[in-house]
Amino acid sequence: VVFEKKGIGILISLRLFSSTYLLFSPFTTLTLYLIGLIAITSLLLSFRNIAGNDGSDQMNSIICITLLITFLFKVGDIGRLGLYFICAQSILSYVVAGIAKLISPKWRNGMAIYEIMNTKTYGDKRVAHILKTLPPVFTRFLNWNIISFECLYILVIFLPFPFFLIFIVWVILFHLYIAVLMGLNGFF
């Protein structure tokens, strides 16, 4: 019943309500239950969508489960350790994705973004057409822009304020692009 259309609609609605409430509420006991609800629904949705999950779904589950553990066991510095774990996981995910792109000839030669935009699932025909008409140096720049920010993202922990904000803005723009043009709203 949970994995049928109506059940999934309820799960997604519960997640939306819980996430929205958490954005605007102070920490209370209800916060713990809502984080738990989000963590459980993340796991349930991953069981239903085995082939459809992506990195943002996995990261969402990791964040929610880590937050749940840190709020459940308020012992010593577990909250700080949970935050360090989430930060390390975020950095690792960007750097590994960047290295994977760096190894790929299609990312290095500038074809990857065009080919992604030219797919039915994640693409946008208008953007693909624009990319096809642009000089190759421009598409190569776009590809290398993504490779660079992902490979260099580890610098975010070493750069002083306000310089680390450059990476944060870079990441926000990247995820906004993915959400708007590719329809992967969970990335944003």
Side-chain angles (χ1 to χ4, degrees):
V1 174
V2 172
F3 295 126
E4 292 176 4
K5 188 175 182 178
K6 186 176 180 180
I8 292 299
I10 292 170
L11 287 179
I12 292 171
S13 297
L14 287 171
R15 290 171 60 81
L16 181 61
F17 166 77
S18 300
S19 300
T20 305
Y21 182 83
L22 289 173
L23 284 174
F24 302 106
S25 68
F27 180 78
T28 64
T29 305
L30 179 60
T31 306
L32 178 62
Y33 292 118
L34 294 178
I35 291 172
L37 179 67
I38 294 170
I40 290 168
T41 57
S42 292
L43 295 174
L44 287 172
L45 289 171
S46 71
F47 285 121
R48 182 177 192 263
N49 301 327
I50 294 170
N53 287 336
D54 54 37
S56 67
D57 295 312
Q58 295 164 6
M59 195 63 193
N60 184 30
S61 294
I62 289 169
I63 290 170
C64 291
I65 292 168
T66 303
L67 288 175
L68 181 62
I69 290 169
T70 60
F71 286 132
L72 276 175
F73 305 102
K74 294 181 186 174
V75 179
D77 287 335
I78 198 158
R80 185 185 316 245
L81 290 174
L83 183 59
Y84 288 154
F85 174 75
I86 291 169
C87 291
Q89 182 65 39
S90 299
I91 291 168
L92 182 65
S93 67
Y94 283 121
V95 172
V96 167
I99 291 170
K101 288 175 180 70
L102 186 60
I103 294 169
S104 168
K106 288 188 178 190
W107 276 95
R108 289 193 317 266
N109 71 19
M111 289 302 298
I113 291 178
Y114 165 73
E115 288 183 0
I116 292 167
M117 288 292 102
N118 204 32
T119 64
K120 185 174 183 176
T121 305
Y122 298 117
D124 184 313
K125 294 293 181 192
R126 296 168 299 178
V127 175
H129 177 71
I130 292 169
L131 291 173
K132 189 174 185 175
T133 61
L134 292 173
V137 68
F138 184 77
T139 56
R140 191 172 295 124
F141 168 78
L142 291 175
N143 282 257
W144 276 96
N145 182 36
I146 294 170
I147 292 169
S148 300
F149 111 73
E150 287 183 340
C151 287
L152 296 173
Y153 192 75
I154 194 165
L155 296 177
V156 78
I157 59 176
F158 300 110
L159 292 173
F161 182 83
F163 299 107
F164 79 91
L165 291 176
I166 294 167
F167 277 98
I168 302 302
V169 170
W170 209 353
V171 169
I172 289 170
L173 292 174
F174 170 70
H175 286 86
L176 182 63
Y177 163 82
I178 289 174
V180 172
L181 295 179
M182 295 177 66
L184 295 172
N185 303 327
F187 264 76
F188 194 68

